[in-house]
Amino acid sequence: MKSKAYLILFFVLISLNFYAQTKMLTGNKHLIILNIPKNWIQVQTDEIPFLIKPYEKEVSDNTYMYVYGLDYGSSPDLNLWIQGNNDGLKDQIPEIKINEFDINFENFKKDNFLTGRYRAVKYIYPDFKEEVLLVIETQTTIVTAVLSAKDNDEFIKYLNSFKELVNSVKINKANVTFK
């Protein structure tokens, strides 16, 4: 009987730990479920609904990750979206360096909502800030995941956390109405 109580307590603690880190992000046409990586915490901001930062002392304001979904009335094209984003950044910051970033994920295969298409782009700003932008295409939504770091050292340090975050992402079709 005592071992059964310990077993139940163990599963409750595991469940609480699992669910405490799982987040759900919704839009009118999408539902994104993801897990916050270990040693990262969600912070409140008016600009981005889901923003996380490393849970460490003295972390730069330029070091964070986020996931965001943008719904469209027609099927979006990730290549056109990336081109528009890159052109906008080049107009604002002519010295920015933009390159493709080779990274692979198994969780974005084509299904009834995902197109199976995704691409990553790396940005290096004049102040040495580095970002990777992952763009995931669905039938109605562009989902972006970003790792931003103050410099290359922090970028390398947190790249595995970015992979952990993105590997946990599940994107589903939704018909969400807000009242």
Side-chain angles (χ1 to χ4, degrees):
M1 192 68 172
K2 192 175 185 179
S3 63
K4 187 175 182 179
Y6 283 122
L7 187 60
I8 291 170
L9 179 61
F10 172 76
F11 284 116
V12 167
L13 290 174
I14 292 297
S15 296
L16 288 174
N17 187 40
F18 174 75
Y19 290 111
Q21 295 294 318
T22 300
K23 295 293 177 178
M24 184 174 11
L25 313 174
T26 61
N28 292 335
K29 299 179 180 183
H30 68 273
L31 172 69
I32 303 168
I33 301 169
L34 54 81
N35 296 326
I36 296 175
K38 293 175 185 149
N39 300 318
W40 286 72
I41 58 169
Q42 187 171 358
V43 295
Q44 297 302 316
T45 175
D46 292 334
E47 296 90 31
I48 302 170
F50 177 75
L51 179 76
I52 58 176
K53 294 187 69 65
Y55 188 59
E56 297 177 9
K57 292 181 181 179
E58 300 180 28
V59 174
S60 165
D61 287 341
N62 285 334
T63 301
Y64 55 83
M65 292 191 293
Y66 69 84
V67 176
Y68 192 73
L70 301 157
D71 292 327
Y72 290 89
S74 60
S75 297
D77 182 300
L78 87 126
N79 291 320
L80 291 174
W81 194 95
I82 290 170
Q83 187 62 48
N85 189 67
N86 290 352
D87 290 346
L89 278 171
K90 285 179 192 174
D91 287 344
Q92 292 176 355
I93 310 165
E95 305 86 23
I96 194 166
K97 295 177 186 171
I98 302 173
N99 296 300
E100 293 293 315
F101 190 71
D102 188 27
I103 192 166
N104 294 305
F105 297 100
E106 296 294 319
N107 49 326
F108 304 124
K109 292 185 173 138
K110 185 176 180 169
D111 62 18
N112 63 347
F113 185 56
L114 295 172
T115 65
R117 293 172 23 123
Y118 67 90
R119 275 182 49 205
V121 181
K122 186 172 183 186
Y123 303 98
I124 302 175
Y125 293 80
D127 65 355
F128 304 106
K129 176 177 139 177
E130 293 192 22
E131 286 183 348
V132 62
L133 166 70
L134 177 68
V135 180
I136 307 154
E137 181 185 89
T138 76
Q139 291 176 1
T140 61
T141 306
I142 291 288
V143 175
T144 59
V146 171
L147 165 63
S148 178
K150 74 174 185 173
D151 57 26
N152 183 260
D153 289 341
E154 280 199 2
F155 182 84
I156 298 300
K157 178 179 179 179
Y158 295 120
L159 185 57
N160 282 335
S161 293
F162 179 72
K163 291 175 184 176
E164 182 182 343
L165 173 72
V166 173
N167 277 319
S168 77
V169 168
K170 292 171 186 57
I171 306 167
N172 297 298
K173 183 176 185 174
N175 188 6
V176 178
T177 55
F178 298 97
K179 293 182 180 184

